[in-house]
């Protein structure tokens, strides 16, 4: 009913109830100008319907958020391949988001500036694809992506010169080598989250926190004026205690 009533006037929809195949079919049929869609627990059939929508419709989409969906790898890949103008894509805690899906995103969405795949199975392979194909990336969320390791993070940090926000909290395989790469490459970063990165030693975090606060004389004016706003380090495990640094 909403799709029929709003028709071409509907450009943004935030729906916290699960979007089913019937609802998605109505949106595809009646709302050709829809460009921003947020949905919680969109079912797999609904994603499949969206993926099968005319390319002209999908190419209007600039922002999609799908949370806790059981959509298949195939339907997710088909969906992102049609969204060639997407700027912000959030596939949070979707059980079938993996390197194959992230590679499809990288190959199909060259304008992408913000990506959130927290709780996914992405690894260094997916991060390398993003580094090669998405030069405008500014915001990345890989929270609780437990397969992520240093090589993947290093390559995307080095290639994403516009990177302003990075969340790798819960990525417990990350080592102090990533901190070195961030120090040498991230000249406009404003927010960094490392909570739960337990492979980072307290001494490495102390050194990094000092550098972050001072931003050192070795950086140019562009860095000095970037306005670093937030740095969160939490619960660094040592043999006898946990330390919280902020």
């Amino acid at each position: 009913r909403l799709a029929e009533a709003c028709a071409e006037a509907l450009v943004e929809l935030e729906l916290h109830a699960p979007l089913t195949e019937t609802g998605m079919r109505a949106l595809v049929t009646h709302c050709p100008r829809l460009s921003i869609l947020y949905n919680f627990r969109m079912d797999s059939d609904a994603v499949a319907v969206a993926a099968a929508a005319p390319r002209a419709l999908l190419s209007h989409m600039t922002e999609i958020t799908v949370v806790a969906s059981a959509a298949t790898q195939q339907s997710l890949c088909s969906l992102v391949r049609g969204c060639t103008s997407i700027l912000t894509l959030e596939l949070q805690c979707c059980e079938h988001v993996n390197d194959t899906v992230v590679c499809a995103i990288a190959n199909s969405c060259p304008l992408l500036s913000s990506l959130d795949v927290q709780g996914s199975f992405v690894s260094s392979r997916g991060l390398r694809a993003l580094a090669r194909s998405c030069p405008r990336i500014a915001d990345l969320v890989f929270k609780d992506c437990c397969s992520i390791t240093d090589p993947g993070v290093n390559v995307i940090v080095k290639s994403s010169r516009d990177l302003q926000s990075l969340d790798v909290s819960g990525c417990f395989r990350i080592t102090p080598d990533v901190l070195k790469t961030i120090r040498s490459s991230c000249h406009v970063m404003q927010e960094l989250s490392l909570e739960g990165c337990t492979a980072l030693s307290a001494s490495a975090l102390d050194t990094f926190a000092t550098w972050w606060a001072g931003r050192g004389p070795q950086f140019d004016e562009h860095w000095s004026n970037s306005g670093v706003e937030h740095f969160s380090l939490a619960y660094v495990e040592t043999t006898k205690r946990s330390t919280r640094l902020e």
Side-chain angles (χ1 to χ4, degrees):
R1 290 178 181 176
L2 174 68
E4 292 176 1
C6 295
E8 293 188 3
L10 186 65
V11 295
E12 180 176 349
L13 176 63
E14 182 172 335
L15 185 64
H16 290 265
L19 186 57
T20 64
E21 177 183 2
T22 301
M24 180 60 78
R25 198 173 298 281
L27 291 174
V28 168
T29 301
H30 299 288
C31 305
R33 296 182 60 206
L34 184 66
S35 61
I36 299 175
L37 175 63
Y38 174 96
N39 187 234
F40 181 75
R41 293 193 181 279
M42 184 185 299
D43 71 27
S44 186
D45 290 337
V47 174
V49 169
R55 285 294 183 258
L57 174 63
L58 292 179
S59 65
H60 287 302
M61 301 299 296
T62 59
E63 183 174 336
I64 296 177
T65 299
V66 179
V67 181
S69 172
T72 65
Q73 171 187 295
Q74 181 179 358
S75 60
L76 288 169
C77 287
S78 297
L79 175 63
V80 300
R81 286 182 184 125
C83 298
T84 54
S85 298
I86 200 79
L87 302 176
T88 299
L89 181 60
E90 299 182 4
L91 302 175
Q92 302 174 8
C93 304
C94 297
E95 58 186 275
H96 296 298
V97 173
N98 53 24
D99 283 331
T100 299
V101 174
V102 173
C103 286
I105 294 169
N107 293 333
S108 306
C109 309
L111 303 180
L112 190 68
S113 63
S114 180
L115 178 66
D116 182 344
V117 289
Q118 62 178 279
S120 72
F121 296 96
V122 65
S123 71
S124 293
R125 175 175 160 244
L127 271 61
R128 288 192 185 99
L130 290 171
R132 286 193 303 268
S133 304
C134 299
R136 301 186 182 187
I137 285 285
D139 301 288
L140 288 168
V141 179
F142 298 123
K143 181 179 180 179
D144 295 328
C145 295
C146 298
S147 297
I148 285 180
T149 55
D150 288 3
V153 179
N154 284 339
V155 72
I156 199 164
V157 164
K158 289 177 181 177
S159 68
S160 304
R161 294 298 180 178
D162 294 329
L163 190 61
Q164 298 179 23
S165 177
L166 176 65
D167 185 346
V168 287
S169 53
C171 299
F172 57 83
R173 300 175 188 270
I174 289 175
T175 75
D177 187 53
V178 166
L179 301 183
K180 295 178 183 178
T181 304
I182 291 173
R183 288 175 62 176
S184 63
S185 303
C186 293
H187 294 176
V188 295
M189 183 171 284
Q190 297 178 355
E191 184 171 344
L192 174 64
S193 181
L194 299 167
E195 184 172 352
C197 295
T198 53
L200 300 177
S201 65
S203 59
L205 290 170
D206 283 341
T207 300
F208 187 78
T210 300
W211 164 83
W212 182 280
R215 297 193 297 282
Q218 71 272 29
F219 290 97
D220 57 21
E221 184 178 358
H222 181 54
W223 170 266
S224 299
N225 291 336
S226 64
V228 174
E229 296 174 355
H230 174 73
F231 174 45
S232 174
L233 301 171
Y235 300 108
V236 182
E237 297 292 340
T238 62
T239 52
K240 294 183 179 181
R241 63 185 175 85
S242 294
T243 303
R244 183 175 180 87
L245 304 170
E246 290 187 347

